[in-house]
Amino acid sequence: MTQARISEFVVGLLFGIGLIVSGMTDPGKVLGFLDLAGLWDPSLAFVMGGAVMIGLVAFTVAKKRSATLLGGVLQLPKSTVIDKRLVIGSLLFGAGWGLAGFCPGPALVSLAMGQSKALLFVAAMLAGMKIFTALERRNAKA
Amino acid sequence: MTIDWEHFTPWASLAGGLLLGVAAAIFILVNGRILGVSGIVGGLLPPAKGDWAWRLTFVAGVLAAPLLYQLVATPAAVRIDAEPVMIVVAGLLVGIGTRYGSGCTSGHGICGLSRLSPRSMVATVTFMAAGFVTVFVVRHLLA
């Protein structure tokens, strides 16, 4: 259990540092990538490329294993459905991403850097997640 | 298409990307979990019995990252141009959208593409397209 906790913390650290090094914590850089018609900054393609290069190897190994290196359950996603929820949710997310240049991970890192706009963004994002939970509960009852 | 050579950082972005990949690799191989920030955070609202500690430790690591980074280097200056009202609208959309679509740039983007999951590929293409269109509308149609 302790080993798992240490690993989770280290993963969070590496992930956060990776976001800073890559430039993802700068909304101006993110929007520079999303602005194909303006001055285009292709950097984010390199972020994704680097991450997926390692990820491809890791998940190829993971798919062949039945347990984690700590002997725990390897929880690979089972859902394969491509439905309205997936597409509409992704459309909303992409629109929000394009408006501010923040996605969830970088927003958390910027918040810890003391950016007041990141605090505002994270507060709104958590509210959005709460709204989602509330709507799901209401629909489940109906 | 005009490249923004002034802000283009291929090596730093590749290096940062490799780190993100290593983080995702450790998370699946050691902890058996998908590194998806929106799902991890969303699962804390509200926290479920027996399923919150790992989420919290991960988030603590993410929040500690800039503190550790600042000990050895100065983070580059950031540009946050959006007005506060826009930031709030963006945050709400990202919060609702990532939960409804079951993932964001990390879960669907990095992990999903690495798993070669068609579902995540559709999600990634969709949110990227929505991002491109939104920036086009905001910067070139409304401005």
Side-chain angles (χ1 to χ4, degrees):
Chain A
M1 194 52 124
T2 317
Q3 283 171 313
R5 287 293 99 84
I6 293 169
S7 174
E8 288 146 18
F9 185 78
V10 170
V11 165
L13 264 184
L14 286 175
F15 185 72
I17 291 171
L19 289 175
I20 300 170
V21 172
S22 68
M24 289 292 293
T25 49
D26 178 6
K29 198 165 183 60
V30 174
L31 296 181
F33 174 75
L34 293 176
D35 190 5
L36 292 173
L39 266 181
W40 189 52
D41 177 355
S43 306
L44 259 64
F46 288 72
V47 182
M48 207 36 124
V52 171
M53 269 199 284
I54 305 277
L56 276 171
V57 178
F59 282 99
T60 304
V61 174
K63 282 177 191 171
K64 288 183 183 147
R65 293 184 60 95
S66 53
T68 68
L69 296 173
L70 294 177
V73 187
L74 223 154
Q75 303 180 45
L76 287 168
K78 291 183 195 78
S79 176
T80 53
V81 285
I82 294 167
D83 55 5
K84 246 172 28 185
R85 291 174 68 98
L86 182 80
V87 173
I88 292 173
S90 299
L91 281 174
L92 295 176
F93 162 47
W97 192 36
L99 282 181
F102 275 130
C103 53
L108 288 177
V109 175
S110 296
L111 163 70
M113 280 173 152
Q115 298 284 353
S116 56
K117 279 184 176 171
L119 173 64
L120 191 60
F121 179 89
V122 171
M125 179 180 86
L126 296 179
M129 289 178 170
K130 287 290 260 186
I131 291 170
F132 166 81
T133 309
L135 289 175
E136 287 290 283
R137 281 203 182 145
R138 212 185 59 181
N139 288 344
K141 270 181 203 162
Chain B
M1 184 174 288
T2 321
I3 304 282
D4 182 358
W5 293 107
E6 189 199 334
H7 292 107
F8 184 38
T9 53
W11 295 112
S13 289
L14 181 65
L18 292 171
L19 270 176
L20 301 179
V22 169
I26 299 175
F27 215 36
I28 191 65
L29 292 172
V30 175
N31 297 97
R33 299 197 187 272
I34 293 289
L35 201 170
V37 178
S38 58
I40 295 173
V41 172
L44 286 167
L45 301 167
K49 203 176 164 213
D51 188 43
W52 57 270
W54 69 274
R55 298 172 189 272
L56 217 56
T57 355
F58 169 80
V59 172
V62 173
L63 294 175
L67 311 176
L68 187 72
Y69 185 88
Q70 280 159 354
L71 292 179
V72 290
T74 311
V78 299
R79 296 160 282 159
I80 313 180
D81 297 330
E83 298 295 330
V85 177
M86 202 63 107
I87 295 270
V88 171
V89 173
L92 285 170
L93 284 170
V94 170
I96 296 172
T98 52
R99 296 301 286 146
Y100 202 58
S102 310
C104 59
T105 349
S106 47
H108 278 315
I110 297 173
C111 296
L113 296 190
S114 297
R115 289 193 298 118
L116 305 174
S117 151
R119 177 174 148 85
S120 288
M121 285 179 199
V122 169
T124 305
V125 168
T126 306
F127 69 67
M128 297 275 303
F132 286 130
V133 170
T134 303
V135 171
F136 183 76
V137 170
V138 171
R139 289 200 174 171
H140 302 285
L141 294 185
L142 300 178

